Amino acid sequence: MRRFARVLPVIGMSGMGLAGLGVCLPAMAQSTEITVATVNNPDMVTMQSMMSAFHQAHPDIKVNWVTLPENELRQKVTTDIASGAGQYDVVTVSNYETPIWAQNDWLKPLDEDLPEDYDVDDLLAPVKEGLSVDGELYALPFYAESSVTYYRKDLFEKAGIEMPEKPTWDQMKEFASKIHSPSDGVYGICLRGLPGWGQNMALFGTMVNSFGGRWFDMDWTPQLDSPEWKNAANAYVELLNDYGPPGVTSNGFTESETLFANGQCGMWVDSTVAASYVSDPDTSKVAEDVGFAQAPYQTTEKGSNWLFTWALAVPQSSQHQDAAETFIEWATSKDYINAVADEKGWLSVPPGTRQSTYDSADYKQAAPFAPLVEKAISSASPTDPSAQEVPYTGVQFVTIPQFQAIGTRVGQLMAAMLSGQQSVDDALSQGQAFTERLMQQTGKPQ
């Protein structure tokens, strides 16, 4: 890959001096502006605050930011890339979009341009695989997450119960019943109930897997009315109706995180990215009492913990691909992680992407939950997410274009179950019919 620093020595010379020497200023010596489209979450905010380090190394690249809510980001970026408008030079994508967009030739392949010191082999294997097509990377991981069980050690000790390393959902129900105390402002369990394919369905999709279910059989026939789906849905509804907080259909990740950090949840199953937040006394009232376990399973551990990655990619429509690649290499490098650790502390580094982070003694000391998080991410298997054979990849989602619509609709039906507007059987029957109809209209994936 071309490096801009190589042309810097001529920038300070006058135009007349250069002309007299018969030297033409290379095009890349001009200041290059790139536009980065990203989400407004803490790790991305940290990246923006580290830009002085990038500008010091690459003074000839100016970075403009477009920061949007997740749903709006996806909509605008998809429209821009699909139309070839070229508004964005760097886009924030997940392991859901990346394989689909790469196959559409919307993203620039990256392997050939990555320098040796980027150390691709240091990337955690499941994370790297989720951003690759036919073994070639199309996005570089900024941070990655799986799911874990958070619980209150003080409440468990008081109730005389012990959390296993990887509980079953039946055990979670039993534990919730023993620590549920609404009169004391403590609910047995918090889970996402806010409808959305990236909200309640991220959690519920892994429940379905752990009950032995799948989204589609090998002929792409939907399986939402199967016994496994019904068993998972009944367990989900009973847990939250009997031992969850009120208004659960309004609680997504952020709301649940706040409830747990405020001491209102005895247990919470959600993203590993919250580990730092709930363990920090500055942000969590229960920091000293937080325990960690693997995400629950029921009949199988396959697909019981999710894998999600926020990554940076360069659209084929970008007019400044060299500068864009320079930026995403910097933002996802070992040097960037170390720079964040030096300036903001190890708890602020983007987690889940590199083995070297989890090998760091300093990181382990600052984040005692690190080994559990590494195990959760490393054990996630998007290519083998169910006890039954499946034609798709993805743990909490299915990597096909139709899934956003399917997940959104089924998420709404799950919320209707929780609020008592529909029975489990009726809601899943509607989800089955919707998915069958959509797949008939769009055709089976190739």
Side-chain angles (χ1 to χ4, degrees):
M1 178 177 174
R2 293 195 298 274
R3 289 294 180 188
F4 306 104
R6 294 175 184 169
V7 300
L8 289 180
V10 301
I11 293 178
M13 300 178 69
S14 70
M16 182 178 297
L18 288 169
L21 292 171
V23 177
C24 295
L25 196 66
M28 292 309 295
Q30 304 296 326
S31 179
T32 302
E33 291 192 19
I34 62 172
T35 299
V36 179
T38 191
V39 289
N40 189 20
N41 63 27
D43 287 294
M44 300 302 182
V45 171
T46 296
M47 176 169 58
Q48 293 179 50
S49 74
M50 296 292 294
M51 287 308 297
S52 60
F54 176 75
H55 289 141
Q56 184 175 357
H58 305 284
D60 50 348
I61 302 176
K62 179 183 178 182
V63 180
N64 299 316
W65 297 90
V66 175
T67 305
L68 299 167
E70 182 175 333
N71 289 341
E72 188 177 350
L73 174 83
R74 282 197 168 98
Q75 180 182 6
K76 290 194 172 184
V77 168
T78 302
T79 300
D80 181 78
I81 290 183
S83 65
Q87 181 179 355
Y88 309 118
D89 301 293
V90 173
V91 292
T92 304
V93 292
S94 74
N95 50 328
Y96 167 70
E97 294 96 352
T98 299
I100 298 172
W101 292 6
Q103 290 171 345
N104 289 341
D105 198 29
W106 291 352
L107 301 177
K108 188 179 187 305
L110 300 170
D111 280 352
E112 292 184 3
D113 291 332
L114 292 173
E116 186 176 347
D117 61 5
Y118 183 79
D119 196 0
V120 171
D121 292 337
D122 186 49
L123 299 176
L124 295 179
V127 175
K128 180 183 175 183
E129 290 167 5
L131 301 173
S132 302
V133 175
D134 295 330
E136 187 163 27
L137 275 167
Y138 284 83
L140 301 181
F142 183 68
Y143 80 78
E145 64 181 51
S146 186
S147 51
V148 297
T149 300
Y150 302 98
Y151 68 98
R152 290 269 302 277
K153 292 186 291 185
D154 57 331
L155 297 180
F156 269 61
E157 184 177 353
K158 182 179 178 181
I161 53 180
E162 186 174 341
M163 175 69 76
E165 180 183 357
K166 189 171 181 70
T168 65
W169 283 106
D170 283 345
Q171 287 176 315
M172 295 291 285
K173 182 177 180 180
E174 178 187 353
F175 298 154
S177 71
K178 294 184 177 180
I179 59 177
H180 185 63
S181 184
S183 60
D184 296 321
V186 177
Y187 301 94
I189 190 166
C190 289
L191 300 171
R192 299 187 193 189
L194 183 69
W197 74 269
Q199 285 287 0
N200 60 351
M201 292 311 298
L203 182 280
F204 185 68
T206 62
M207 286 190 70
V208 168
N209 296 336
S210 77
F211 276 77
R214 54 184 174 172
W215 281 93
F216 298 94
D217 67 13
M218 292 301 292
D219 292 324
W220 288 101
T221 302
Q223 301 292 295
L224 280 70
D225 57 358
S226 67
E228 293 86 0
W229 270 77
K230 291 179 180 179
N231 290 339
N234 279 312
Y236 175 72
V237 171
E238 289 172 8
L239 261 175
L240 287 175
N241 283 346
D242 293 347
Y243 307 114
V248 69
T249 56
S250 298
N251 294 343
F253 167 76
T254 302
E255 295 79 11
S256 300
E257 181 182 52
T258 300
L259 284 169
F260 187 87
N262 284 342
Q264 294 171 272
C265 303
M267 298 183 296
W268 177 39
V269 181
D270 214 298
S271 169
T272 55
V273 80
S276 297
Y277 185 89
V278 300
S279 300
D280 187 343
D282 291 336
T283 53
S284 173
K285 296 178 181 179
V286 296
E288 295 183 358
D289 295 315
V290 178
F292 304 88
Q294 293 295 331
Y297 74 104
Q298 189 59 23
T299 63
T300 177
E301 294 188 16
K302 279 193 175 183
S304 59
N305 55 291
W306 73 62
L307 178 65
F308 186 83
T309 305
W310 274 126
L312 303 175
V314 178
Q316 291 280 21
S317 55
S318 168
Q319 299 301 305
H320 310 291
Q321 292 185 6
D322 280 349
E325 287 183 53
T326 294
F327 176 80
I328 68 173
E329 285 176 21
W330 168 82
T332 62
S333 67
K334 288 187 286 188
D335 287 344
Y336 173 83
I337 291 173
N338 291 327
V340 173
D342 290 342
E343 184 169 324
K344 301 178 182 297
W346 276 102
L347 283 179
S348 297
V349 305
T353 60
R354 288 186 171 273
Q355 186 62 51
S356 55
T357 301
Y358 291 93
D359 289 342
S360 166
D362 291 334
Y363 185 59
K364 292 176 182 178
Q365 182 176 357
F369 48 80
L372 182 140
V373 172
E374 180 189 3
K375 182 176 180 179
I377 292 173
S378 298
S379 64
S381 181
T383 59
D384 188 24
S386 172
Q388 303 181 67
E389 195 174 4
V390 298
Y392 55 84
T393 60
V395 181
Q396 78 277 32
F397 53 74
V398 179
T399 312
I400 56 174
Q402 297 95 325
F403 183 76
Q404 288 194 46
I406 295 169
T408 297
R409 179 56 183 147
V410 177
Q412 293 167 347
L413 293 169
M414 294 302 302
M417 292 183 212
L418 287 176
S419 62
Q421 296 176 353
Q422 286 188 300
S423 68
V424 167
D425 286 354
D426 287 346
L428 292 183
S429 178
Q430 288 187 32
Q432 176 77 8
F434 174 87
T435 307
E436 287 177 346
R437 185 165 57 251
L438 181 63
M439 297 301 286
Q440 289 170 358
Q441 292 171 349
T442 59
K444 296 179 181 180
Q446 300 299 315

